[in-house]
Amino acid sequence: MSLLSVEHLSFSYPESPKHVLRDVSFSVQPGEYAVILGTNGSGKSTLARIITGFLSAQQGNVRLADGVRAGIVFQNPKDQIVSGIVSRDTAFGPENLGLSDAEVEQRVIESLSVSDLLDRADSRTNALSLGQMQKLAMSGILALRPDLLVLDEATSMLDPESRADVMQFLDACNRRGQTILHITHDYDEAMRARHIIVLREGAVVFDGTRAAFAADAALTGGLFGSPLAEKKRSAQDFSRAEVALAFRDVSFSYDDCTVLDHFSADIFRGTLTAITGASGAGKSTLLEVAAGLLAHGGEVFADSCPSLALQDSQAALFEPYAADDVAFGPKNQGVRGKELKARVCRAMNTVGLPFEAFADRATQQLSGGEKRKLAIAGIIAMDSDVLLFDEPTAGLDPVSRHRVMQLLRALTQDGKTVVFSTHRMDEAAFADRAIHMENGAIVSDSAGQPLADSVRLKAMPPLAGAPILATLRKAARFGTAGVHVRGIVQKLRPAWKYVVFLALFVCALCVRHTVFAAGVVLASVVYALLAKYPVRRLFTSFAKILPWMLLYCAIQMIFIPARDGEQHFTEWKWFMVTPFKIWLCVLTLVRVFGALSAVQVFVHSTGEKEILEGFSTLVRPLAALHIPVRPLVVVVEIMFRFIPILIDEASAIVKTQLERGGLGNAKGFFAKIRILFPLFIPLIIQTIRRAEVLADALSARYF
């Protein structure tokens, strides 16, 4: 009996009359390793979501054998992470299965070991690179040990070594009887399967064995194309080349983690340069520094600020229609009319999204590969001298990848200087030059050239909007600054931290007498000292809201009646100052100071993991009253996950806006508000989308 049977399945999205899937039929046997292949937009991801229950079949049937549990690893790893801490994210699914603490811990250790994230078990998930996030997304599903494991291009963001580790693990799982359905664009991954299914425009065009597939030259050629030709230049070719982009002693750190360590290099004009390295090596950070998005140590030199196509193409698109999104950058440059349309047409046609066919397509209806192409088109339309691309081929099928690489080559032939990051060695070999990074520094460089003695380029300071990104990064670290400080408060058990915090917070809000008011201020200072929190920061934080509090006090002076026989220090119409009103204002200020101080110190001294553990301990007695406790804990956990998600979305939108000339300098209050509209509207849209995918992520973990 088949473990999975798909029978005459057809599907189309409500907003589109076109069928994404057309009369699809195939079956997967227990213990089988099956692969689904197809170009971008062929319906592979839609099929995976129907099989795992996230979409309902409109025609036909999808049947799983009795008792079979399916688990899916989504294409975008950010869509699958549900917790703010790495270990808790992996444990989320097993906890929903009702397993014992020991079994949950064993599965977490095993899954994180396989994904090479065990040393990051206590790290915040939003501090991981995109490749590391994809490992974590896989880890969370592997911990469920599903009967049918569906992988939707789940290795697309991994470096070769990590990809090999994951594939070896999948092979081992399959040998133990695990049934795997793997959607991929990679030929080597496909050849590990015994059963191969090929989709073309939503229909099955091949369903057979690995040997039969490999023997069909026309089919394999249409899917994978011809290999990229190696075109790397010799060191001698660079000896007289002109420098277009230069890094000198560039350093950058996130928190206490050094990402770039005195990085120095020259990028030569009109060349195609590949930056390689494992996930977290510093590739994306280097490109963001070059594009002026990050304040850094050292200097970057260029004739003009380079343009960067971000790695996360989903976040890089914020206009509702494709042509409008590509036109956003040129518009900010002052391009209008026929010239604007010509730029947009040329950029879209160049990346393989014909203007006539895609101009009026909604960006959110495009496939993952089409979105990536559109993000690249938006940068090409900027017509900058130096173009930077962060993983420009991630998620693309082989033929589309080859087209993108040929596109990058064509840009250099037009005089552009192109730098791109990649995990693929064939793409690095296709470039004129390959720079390999480890721990934020160069470990090998195929050009082998010494740095130029002098650089005749302008120093490129960070963009004017870069401080916005620094503020967002600081907000994303909220609550982690003092967690590892060895203060007395930090040594308390999580539940006792709650007890101390709530006692001070409630007392601050309830204070009514002079002695108690003084006691609240003193207790706030002592609480801060015991947590090694700077006392000065308590008062500076309060000073920031003091003007608003004084306004509130002035309103109190108007609306709160004076007591009978009270002395009036001053009086003007409805406004009067009396001893009682002054005391109420002082009391209000003390209450706010005490409550604010309690929150600040609690967040400073209590990490997310402790907050969740402490909350779980405090609500555990409710279980005796038959009140579900697990959903309450999950709600708190999701709150901690969703806030960084929104900050991350805001950061991605700000980066894209800055790269494409948005969020420029504006004078006057209303002008500043006006330029923020392109930030707020996409953020609202992304918030709704993120809420939907987070709901899917919870369902994928059996919550």
Side-chain angles (χ1 to χ4, degrees):
M1 180 179 178
S2 299
L3 183 139
L4 166 68
S5 297
V6 178
E7 302 168 350
H8 305 291
L9 177 66
S10 295
F11 183 87
S12 62
Y13 289 99
E15 63 274 9
S16 174
K18 179 183 176 182
H19 275 81
V20 180
L21 297 171
R22 297 182 291 113
D23 196 29
V24 172
S25 296
F26 65 89
S27 62
V28 176
Q29 304 306 312
E32 193 170 47
Y33 193 140
V35 158
I36 298 180
L37 300 173
T39 58
N40 293 118
S42 60
K44 303 185 302 299
S45 294
T46 300
L47 177 59
R49 294 179 71 85
I50 293 175
I51 290 172
T52 50
F54 289 94
L55 293 173
S56 298
Q58 295 166 338
Q59 298 176 31
N61 296 297
V62 174
R63 292 190 176 92
L64 291 171
D66 291 343
V68 168
R69 290 202 317 265
I72 182 171
V73 181
F74 295 135
Q75 188 173 10
N76 189 337
K78 291 183 179 180
D79 291 348
Q80 192 147 347
I81 296 172
V82 299
S83 179
I85 301 295
V86 168
S87 59
R88 285 201 59 82
D89 186 82
T90 305
F92 186 80
E95 288 174 350
N96 291 330
L97 296 177
L99 302 176
S100 66
D101 291 345
E103 177 67 15
V104 169
E105 183 178 0
Q106 179 183 343
R107 292 195 182 192
V108 168
I109 293 173
E110 178 184 297
S111 300
L112 289 179
S113 297
V114 167
S115 57
D116 197 27
L117 288 175
L118 190 57
D119 62 331
R120 303 296 298 272
D122 294 326
S123 298
R124 294 176 62 83
T125 54
N126 65 323
L128 303 178
S129 69
L130 199 59
Q132 290 168 328
M133 286 185 180
Q134 194 154 32
K135 292 181 183 180
L136 179 60
M138 183 176 292
S139 175
I141 297 301
L142 291 176
L144 291 168
R145 296 181 183 172
D147 303 296
L148 174 63
L149 177 61
V150 180
L151 305 170
D152 188 3
E153 297 180 45
T155 61
S156 61
M157 296 290 181
L158 301 182
D159 56 79
E161 184 177 348
S162 298
R163 185 192 297 257
D165 290 342
V166 170
M167 294 310 301
Q168 288 175 8
F169 176 76
L170 293 176
D171 289 343
C173 288
N174 183 239
R175 286 194 295 270
R176 292 197 300 264
Q178 173 78 64
T179 307
I180 297 173
L181 185 61
H182 189 178
I183 296 172
T184 180
H185 290 310
D186 188 272
Y187 180 81
D188 292 334
E189 292 179 6
M191 289 298 100
R192 303 175 94 99
R194 294 186 295 273
H195 181 189
I196 294 178
I197 302 152
V198 180
L199 294 181
R200 182 184 297 155
E201 296 182 352
V204 175
V205 296
F206 179 87
D207 181 0
T209 64
R210 174 175 56 199
F213 173 76
D216 192 332
L219 185 61
T220 56
L223 284 171
F224 301 106
S226 56
L228 285 169
E230 186 169 331
K231 296 185 178 181
K232 203 173 295 177
R233 298 186 186 183
S234 66
Q236 186 176 357
D237 294 332
F238 295 98
S239 58
R240 296 183 180 179
E242 183 181 353
V243 177
L245 176 65
F247 302 90
R248 292 294 182 272
D249 252 359
V250 172
S251 297
F252 185 83
S253 298
Y254 289 108
D255 299 331
D256 296 327
C257 178
T258 299
V259 183
L260 296 177
D261 188 12
H262 299 286
F263 184 95
S264 295
D266 290 330
I267 306 298
F268 301 106
R269 194 174 304 280
T271 61
L272 180 61
T273 301
I275 308 292
T276 65
S279 298
K283 304 185 300 297
S284 298
T285 301
L286 177 68
L287 296 180
E288 290 186 10
V289 165
L293 295 176
L294 301 175
H296 55 85
E299 292 185 290
V300 176
F301 298 91
D303 283 328
S304 59
C305 189
S307 294
L308 168 64
L310 296 169
Q311 185 179 18
D312 188 353
S313 57
Q314 175 68 53
L317 306 176
F318 45 84
E319 292 287 355
Y321 297 101
D324 293 335
D325 201 272
V326 178
F328 181 83
K331 277 184 179 179
N332 289 327
Q333 293 175 328
V335 180
R336 296 291 185 273
K338 293 182 179 179
E339 184 183 353
L340 176 63
K341 184 176 180 180
R343 271 210 206 180
V344 174
C345 286
R346 185 167 59 251
M348 293 184 69
N349 292 337
T350 298
V351 300
L353 298 177
F355 180 82
E356 296 299 328
F358 284 86
D360 296 326
R361 290 275 296 273
T363 55
Q364 296 307 316
Q365 292 180 14
L366 300 177
S367 70
E370 290 167 343
K371 288 177 181 178
R372 183 163 294 278
K373 293 177 184 178
L374 189 66
I376 293 173
I379 293 301
I380 291 175
M382 296 286 292
D383 200 28
S384 301
D385 292 329
V386 179
L387 299 174
L388 312 171
F389 298 92
D390 194 3
E391 296 279 359
T393 64
L396 297 182
D397 60 72
V399 173
S400 296
R401 284 201 302 111
H402 293 182
R403 287 174 181 165
V404 169
M405 295 308 300
Q406 296 293 349
L407 163 63
L408 300 188
R409 171 70 64 192
L411 290 171
T412 64
Q413 292 169 350
D414 288 340
K416 304 296 185 185
T417 303
V418 179
V419 183
F420 69 99
S421 63
T422 182
H423 285 313
R424 296 185 176 273
M425 293 303 101
D426 60 332
E427 294 178 4
F430 177 78
D432 299 318
R433 174 190 185 188
I435 296 174
H436 187 71
M437 294 179 62
E438 289 181 10
N439 300 320
I442 296 176
V443 294
S444 66
D445 181 356
S446 65
Q449 289 295 310
L451 296 175
D453 294 332
S454 60
V455 179
R456 297 178 182 178
L457 299 169
K458 296 183 293 185
M460 291 286 107
L463 296 172
I468 300 175
L469 294 172
T471 301
L472 290 172
R473 285 198 305 275
K474 185 177 180 180
R477 300 194 303 266
F478 186 71
T480 63
V483 172
H484 300 294
V485 175
R486 302 305 297 168
I488 294 177
V489 174
Q490 280 86 342
K491 295 178 182 178
L492 294 175
R493 294 193 176 197
W496 280 107
K497 288 185 178 183
Y498 266 97
V499 171
V500 174
F501 158 68
L502 291 173
L504 291 173
F505 186 80
V506 171
C507 287
L509 294 180
C510 296
V511 63
R512 300 182 62 86
H513 300 288
T514 305
V515 175
F516 288 156
V520 164
V521 175
L522 179 61
S524 299
V525 172
V526 171
Y527 186 34
L529 291 172
L530 293 177
K532 294 189 177 181
Y533 184 84
V535 175
R536 181 179 178 182
R537 196 179 299 173
L538 294 180
F539 293 96
T540 55
S541 299
F542 180 71
K544 291 178 182 178
I545 66 169
L546 185 59
W548 299 102
M549 295 307 306
L550 293 177
L551 176 62
Y552 176 75
C553 290
I555 295 173
Q556 280 186 313
M557 295 290 182
I558 296 173
F559 290 102
I560 294 180
R563 289 184 172 180
D564 294 336
E566 237 190 337
Q567 179 183 359
H568 291 195
F569 294 121
T570 184
E571 184 174 351
W572 182 73
K573 293 186 177 181
W574 300 285
F575 184 86
M576 64 182 67
V577 179
T578 69
F580 175 67
K581 291 186 176 185
I582 292 174
W583 167 238
L584 284 181
C585 289
V586 171
L587 206 58
T588 298
L589 295 177
V590 169
R591 286 171 175 170
V592 171
F593 175 80
L596 181 64
S597 299
V599 171
Q600 284 180 277
V601 178
F602 177 73
V603 172
H604 170 82
S605 59
T606 312
E608 179 180 332
K609 189 174 182 180
E610 289 183 305
I611 288 175
L612 293 171
E613 289 178 359
F615 184 76
S616 300
T617 302
L618 292 179
V619 300
R620 194 171 296 156
L622 296 177
L625 303 176
H626 304 290
I627 298 175
V629 171
R630 172 74 175 154
L632 295 175
V633 177
V634 171
V635 167
V636 175
E637 190 162 11
I638 290 174
M639 287 171 56
F640 275 99
R641 172 61 186 151
F642 203 67
I643 291 173
I645 283 177
L646 295 187
I647 294 173
D648 185 56
E649 289 291 348
S651 296
I653 294 170
V654 168
K655 288 176 183 178
T656 305
Q657 293 272 352
L658 292 174
E659 282 302 300
R660 294 163 71 178
L663 301 179
N665 293 320
K667 296 181 180 180
F669 177 77
F670 291 105
K672 291 179 179 179
I673 294 296
R674 188 170 60 253
I675 68 169
L676 289 176
F677 274 120
L679 171 61
F680 291 135
I681 294 174
L683 185 57
I684 292 171
I685 295 172
Q686 289 292 76
T687 300
I688 296 171
R689 188 188 72 83
R690 282 294 192 177
E692 291 174 347
V693 299
L694 188 57
D696 285 347
L698 294 175
S699 299
R701 308 287 189 90
Y702 302 124
F703 177 68

